[in-house]
Amino acid sequence: MNKIHHIGVILDGNRRFAKRLMKAPWKGHEWGGEKVKEFLGWCKEADIRTTTVYSFSVQNFSRPKVEF
């Protein structure tokens, strides 16, 4: 079996997730942060030593400050 050495993820949809639950946008980001911790735990268990997590694009700078 081939060993995975590197895995990457693109985080997307936290605001939409929060909106669907009728929560503040930052609650979606909070939930997403917990999922990243879970993901990194899985990577550690699988002995994947390199991860790339893309979590912020320049378009996000135009969002209201309350979301940061």
Side-chain angles (χ1 to χ4, degrees):
M1 185 163 101
N2 292 333
K3 171 130 173 58
I4 297 173
H5 297 282
H6 177 231
I7 190 168
V9 294
I10 300 171
L11 307 181
D12 188 34
N14 291 329
R15 292 174 70 212
R16 288 186 298 275
F17 177 76
K19 186 176 183 178
R20 196 170 50 220
L21 296 177
M22 294 182 281
K23 303 285 185 186
W26 62 268
K27 286 301 249 182
H29 300 307
E30 184 177 85
W31 181 84
E34 291 302 316
K35 287 298 175 183
V36 168
K37 290 178 189 176
E38 188 176 340
F39 164 72
L40 294 174
W42 294 335
C43 290
K44 185 176 180 179
E45 288 175 19
D47 197 30
I48 299 169
R49 297 180 182 194
T50 304
T51 60
T52 300
V53 179
Y54 178 79
S55 62
F56 195 82
S57 69
V58 293
Q59 289 86 0
N60 291 342
F61 284 117
S62 64
R63 290 191 179 158
K65 295 286 185 204
V66 70
E67 290 190 33
F68 293 106

